[in-house]
């Protein structure tokens, strides 16, 4: 019960995702597919290569929001991944 109070649980079921010691409350739909999709987006790759226009269009269709960055050597550096992780 104390853990529920510490994490702000007000009702059941409550779903919280913990990544690097930080938690996020799930507020989406209650279907299996909704939950799995949310977790996959939160835990999947931080940076997704988009090698061509078709990949970029597919990414745009599948995501409500995204940031596109161009790197001179076609490989993002660690700092870019760290920044992306913080705003996820």
């Amino acid at each position: 019960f104390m853990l529920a109070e510490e994490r702000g649980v007000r009702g059941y079921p409550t779903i919280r995702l913990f990544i690097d010691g930080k938690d996020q409350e799930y507020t989406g739909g209650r279907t299996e597919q909704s939950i799995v999709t949310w977790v996959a987006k939160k835990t999947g790759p931080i940076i997704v290569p988009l090698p061509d226009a078709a990949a970029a269009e597919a990414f745009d269709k599948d995501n409500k929001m995204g940031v596109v960055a161009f790197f001179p050597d076609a490989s993002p550096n660690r700092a870019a991944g760290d920044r992306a992780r913080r705003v996820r």
Side-chain angles (χ1 to χ4, degrees):
F1 184 72
M2 290 175 41
L3 180 60
E5 284 182 1
E6 288 174 15
R7 295 296 174 187
V9 174
R10 295 171 298 283
Y12 299 93
T14 295
I15 299 171
R16 298 188 85 77
L17 177 67
F18 291 82
I19 297 176
D20 295 330
K22 296 180 182 178
D23 67 319
Q24 301 172 29
E25 184 171 356
Y26 175 71
T27 58
R30 294 297 176 179
T31 67
E32 177 183 358
Q33 188 59 49
S34 296
I35 295 168
V36 168
T37 298
W38 182 76
V39 170
K41 285 185 177 183
K42 295 292 183 177
T43 61
I46 292 292
I47 297 176
V48 178
L50 302 173
D52 55 37
E57 288 173 6
F59 180 85
D60 183 48
K61 179 181 172 223
D62 293 341
N63 296 276
K64 291 182 182 179
M65 180 180 74
V67 174
V68 176
F70 297 92
F71 297 92
D73 63 358
S75 63
N77 61 29
R78 182 180 171 93
D82 290 343
R83 283 190 296 275
R85 193 171 288 103
R86 283 195 301 269
V87 298
R88 183 179 235 182

